[in-house]
Amino acid sequence: MPSKDNSDDAITTLRDSLQAIRSKKGIIGYILKAADSASVDLNDPSKIVDYAVVSATTLEEGEKLAKVFGLGDLNKVVLEGARMKLLLLARGDHRISIFMDKTVDHEAVGKDLNLA
Amino acid sequence: MDTDVYAVALNNTLNELRNICPDISTSFIFTKDGVVVAADEAATEATMNKTMGSLHGLQDTMASLGGLNTLLIDGAAGKLAISTVNDMYLATAAAKTADLHHIASVARVIVPTILKILDGLAPTPPDRAPSHQLIVDTLTGFFVGSTVEIDPQVLGQWAELLDRKEIGEVEIEAFSGEKTQCKAKEIGDEKIKGKGIIRIPEKACKALHVKKGELVKVRPAAD
């Protein structure tokens, strides 16, 4: 099935890219969610649930706001807090949440992933 | 300064921001308690309420990130930025082509500047209130202290003018030039309220060389 092969290739490429940025200074971790699977890599694995909730809530409210303001399909959400920030990217069925220190340039992270 | 003045100034600021940056489709400012402080002409109540609802939904999430500084949403057809400005939220929606990060940064400079200027323009309360001419009524009796009694309306006017909670002490000047300073309280007797009377203890009347029925000049004592 060529389409599944393509999808698998895309996921593999995405995982490789995420692994590459994972080693960068200030990156706290990521959650890659596909339709039927998820990959998680965080500095503190005990916070998986917390980060998953943050990611899901941000996506949910981001989609609501996109609808309210007629922004069309969601491409990217950046939630910047006083301590850290979340870059959430939506590509097809994939939702990529990258957690990083506040000082990290999220635009550069997105470019490194070739997704932003 | 009156909050209406702030609201008008901020409304104008947001409208001007939209004139300067036509990419902005709408913008509004609301408090963390969900009160809209200012909005441009394009902002609708439904949009503002739904935005505040979403921010409320993100509250726990924001807490785990250390509180919200900025929320940027990039859609296929437009963008939205919600950023913290002076303990309030500024929401700005714009076209896809807009540099929303830049617009939000500009707004985060302009809005606090406007608020600071308005604070600077707030009228300073005068140091002294104008004196009132009041008719002397003497307070006599064993339990009369040294406090004068003045019409509540007069005390209220002074308090408002001087931006004080209450007027606790007054300066009384007789037309002969004698002066004294006394503690003051409101006249309790309903029958003589609103008649421009000051009830002065006998001892103070003697010091001022005034008698019942004479006029004295009264003003709040300086802080």
Side-chain angles (χ1 to χ4, degrees):
Chain A
M1 293 170 68
S3 62
K4 182 161 192 328
D5 289 346
N6 286 344
S7 173
D8 288 346
D9 286 349
I11 280 262
T12 306
T13 309
L14 202 50
R15 280 198 185 118
D16 290 345
S17 301
L18 284 166
Q19 281 303 322
I21 63 151
R22 182 72 181 88
S23 56
K24 292 194 173 180
K25 197 182 168 194
I27 301 293
I28 294 164
Y30 70 84
I31 298 172
L32 168 61
K33 194 173 170 294
D36 52 3
S37 64
S39 304
V40 182
D41 186 357
L42 297 166
N43 286 351
D44 184 354
S46 69
K47 290 188 174 170
I48 284 177
V49 174
D50 293 342
Y51 286 125
V53 169
V54 167
S55 174
T57 313
T58 305
L59 178 65
E60 188 184 331
E61 297 302 337
E63 282 174 341
K64 276 188 201 168
L65 287 168
K67 202 174 172 185
V68 168
F69 287 90
L71 307 179
D73 290 337
L74 202 66
N75 289 332
K76 179 172 73 177
V77 179
V78 180
L79 184 61
E80 198 176 318
R83 286 195 307 271
M84 55 187 277
K85 60 181 157 183
L86 163 65
L87 169 64
L88 198 153
L89 300 161
R91 291 296 178 276
D93 287 343
H94 302 125
R95 299 288 178 269
I96 308 130
S97 302
I98 305 161
F99 296 89
M100 60 195 88
D101 288 343
K102 193 194 160 192
T103 50
V104 176
D105 179 356
H106 62 268
E107 295 284 355
V109 171
K111 277 178 190 158
D112 286 345
L113 279 173
N114 203 23
L115 284 172
Chain B
M1 187 174 265
D2 195 337
T3 49
D4 285 349
V5 179
Y6 283 102
V8 169
L10 288 174
N11 284 341
N12 289 340
T13 305
L14 296 181
N15 281 322
E16 284 307 315
L17 206 60
R18 204 156 63 96
N19 290 338
I20 296 163
C21 311
D23 281 338
I24 295 176
S25 52
T26 185
S27 63
F28 52 93
I29 297 171
F30 56 100
T31 67
K32 291 176 180 178
D33 302 327
V35 177
V36 176
V37 175
D40 67 14
E41 286 154 2
T44 66
E45 203 168 318
T47 304
M48 292 189 285
N49 286 340
K50 284 176 183 169
T51 305
M52 289 188 283
S54 280
L55 257 281
H56 186 71
L58 276 170
Q59 235 162 24
D60 290 341
T61 299
M62 294 185 302
S64 60
L65 299 181
L68 178 73
N69 276 3
T70 310
L71 170 68
L72 292 169
I73 297 174
D74 191 348
K79 296 175 180 178
L80 171 72
I82 299 176
S83 36
T84 307
V85 180
N86 275 35
D87 224 26
M88 296 182 285
Y89 293 126
L90 166 67
T92 311
K96 176 75 187 156
T97 48
D99 182 350
L100 207 49
H101 215 286
H102 177 67
I103 292 170
S105 301
V106 171
R108 285 173 78 170
V109 172
I110 289 174
V111 172
T113 305
I114 297 286
L115 290 173
K116 203 173 173 185
I117 289 169
L118 286 172
D119 278 339
L121 290 174
T124 311
D127 289 338
R128 302 298 304 270
S131 63
H132 277 240
Q133 289 190 14
L134 301 174
I135 304 160
V136 176
D137 185 18
T138 48
L139 275 171
T140 52
F142 189 70
F143 295 106
V144 170
S146 57
T147 304
V148 298
E149 293 182 6
I150 300 174
D151 203 295
Q153 204 180 345
V154 174
L155 291 173
Q157 280 173 10
W158 282 333
E160 193 179 346
L161 192 66
L162 298 173
D163 200 19
R164 289 191 207 163
K165 198 177 169 187
E166 60 181 16
I167 303 297
E169 214 159 308
V170 292
E171 188 183 284
I172 308 167
E173 185 181 356
F175 280 87
S176 60
E178 300 288 344
K179 281 184 187 177
T180 188
Q181 202 161 306
C182 300
K183 284 184 180 172
K185 66 175 184 181
E186 291 182 1
I187 288 177
D189 189 344
E190 291 291 333
K191 288 176 198 165
I192 55 171
K193 273 184 185 174
K195 293 184 176 174
I197 287 173
I198 178 170
R199 302 185 84 186
I200 305 175
E202 212 167 15
K203 196 176 168 189
C205 281
K206 281 181 184 166
L208 287 165
H209 302 295
V210 291
K211 289 176 186 164
K212 187 176 177 176
E214 288 183 359
L215 284 172
V216 285
K217 289 186 275 188
V218 188
R219 58 164 55 167
D223 272 339

